[in-house]
Every structure is written in structure tokens, then in C-alpha cells.
Amino acid sequence: MRTLSNQMKLVFQSRSANESFARSAVSAFVAQLDPTVEEIADIKTAVSEAVTNCIVHAYQEQIDQIYITSAIYDDKSIVIKIRDRGCGIPDIAKAMEPLYTTCDTGERAGLGFAVMQSLMDKVRVTSKPGKGTTVVMERRIVSKGAKHV
Ligand SMILES: Nc1ncnc2c1ncn2[C@@H]1O[C@H](COP(=O)(O)OP(=O)(O)O)[C@@H](O)[C@H]1O
Ligand SMILES: [Mg+2]
């Protein structure tokens, strides 16, 4: 059993300006594990994709809250939970298929979940239509010489 070493929580509005705030805040928190530049870049990209989904899909035209919890465990893994109380996803398996998108403006490639899955060790999605969606992503920091937390 791994033990929780540290945790942070963020609540912010679903404005696109907050997408870079969220990924920077999470990466600043992860920095205490002394990750490589690549590890940080991967985590930032995955957080960006999940937060963008809350902004553009979950809440669409309205502004509401996005909740992030990041937890660091003693095995140097980071678990990031990104939650919204938006429209929800009726078929999660389908939504996670590469190239699947409900956006019909041609602006989205339908690769957000595929990117999250390729950059993180684990991605779990739970959702209730009308209630919201939670994405939980996990990545173990393996860089050498990492500081003890
Ligand atoms: N937080 C969310 N709330 C509601 N629907 C979502 C959410 N995240 C993803 N989706 C749905 O899953 C689909 C696939 O997401 P994604 O792989 O990121 O592709 P894209 O964002 O390019 O459409 C979206 O088009 C949307 O229908
Ligand atoms: Mg997306």
C-alpha cells in the first residue's frame, strides 16, 4: 500500500485563460518530485487536454467551476483528478476512441483522451449525464535523483 505524501486542491472558473493557469499550477506542485523536463511536459499536456474538455464540452457556453485535486504518493506517483459538474458523457468508451468528437466545427481533432492515455500511466473516466465528469490520471515519476518527499 502506498502512502499519501502531499496533496493540493484547486477550484477555478471554466474560462479559457485558466487552462494555462491549471497546467502551470499542477506542474509547480509536481516539481517537488524533481521530474525531468519531459515528465513535466507530458503532465502539463495531459492536464491541458482534460481542462480544455471541461471548458469546451462540459460547460459549453456557460461558466462554472472546475475542480482539480493532485496527490503525491511515497512511490513518487502523482494522481491528478479533474472534475466538472457539466453535461456529462453518455458513452465513455466511445468518447475515448481516437478521433471521436462531438464538436462539429472542425476545431477539435477528437484526440484529447488518446493524448492523455499515451502520456499518462493510467487514465480513468467516470461520468453521469447531467451531473458531470471526473478524469483521474496517474503518472509515476521515474527520473533519477528525485528528492525525497
Ligand atoms: N468533461 C467532459 N464533459 C462532457 N463531455 C466530454 C468531456 N470530455 C470529453 N467529452 C466528450 O468526449 C469527446 C472526446 O474528447 P476528446 O478526446 O478530448 O476530443 P475533442 O475534445 O477533440 O472532441 C468530446 O468531443 C466530448 O463529446
Ligand atoms: Mg478534447
Side-chain angles (χ1 to χ4, degrees):
M1 264 290 280
R2 61 187 182 182
T3 310
L4 183 69
S5 306
N6 199 0
Q7 191 183 42
M8 67 82 149
K9 288 184 185 192
L10 287 177
V11 184
F12 55 93
Q13 291 194 323
S14 59
R15 300 185 188 277
S16 40
N18 288 338
E19 184 255 299
S20 71
F21 160 72
R23 80 173 161 209
S24 301
V26 173
S27 82
F29 184 70
V30 177
Q32 65 197 278
L33 287 172
D34 203 16
T36 61
V37 172
E38 198 193 350
E39 285 166 337
I40 278 283
D42 288 354
I43 291 167
K44 273 183 157 176
T45 304
V47 168
S48 268
E49 290 294 339
V51 170
T52 301
N53 281 351
C54 300
I55 296 169
V56 304
H57 300 301
Y59 295 129
Q60 294 168 16
E61 301 308 310
Q62 92 230 46
I63 298 294
D64 209 324
Q65 313 272 63
I66 297 173
Y67 306 82
I68 297 187
T69 306
S70 298
I72 288 173
Y73 289 88
D74 59 352
D75 65 352
K76 287 173 44 194
S77 56
I78 171 108
V79 178
I80 304 161
K81 193 188 285 187
I82 297 171
R83 183 168 69 86
D84 64 67
R85 291 182 304 171
C87 66
I89 302 175
D91 185 340
I92 296 169
K94 196 168 172 187
M96 292 181 80
E97 278 172 18
L99 305 178
Y100 177 85
T101 181
T102 50
C103 175
D104 47 21
T105 63
E107 246 175 288
R108 314 254 142 223
L111 290 171
F113 282 127
V115 166
M116 290 179 235
Q117 283 176 311
S118 74
L119 298 177
M120 302 296 275
D121 298 330
K122 280 185 198 162
V123 179
R124 291 191 307 274
V125 181
T126 51
S127 189
K128 271 208 182 109
K131 296 269 183 207
T133 300
T134 303
V135 175
V136 183
M137 307 188 282
E138 189 172 327
R139 172 91 186 241
R140 189 135 179 265
I141 300 301
V142 293
S143 53
K144 278 194 202 129
K147 284 176 226 145
H148 221 73
V149 189

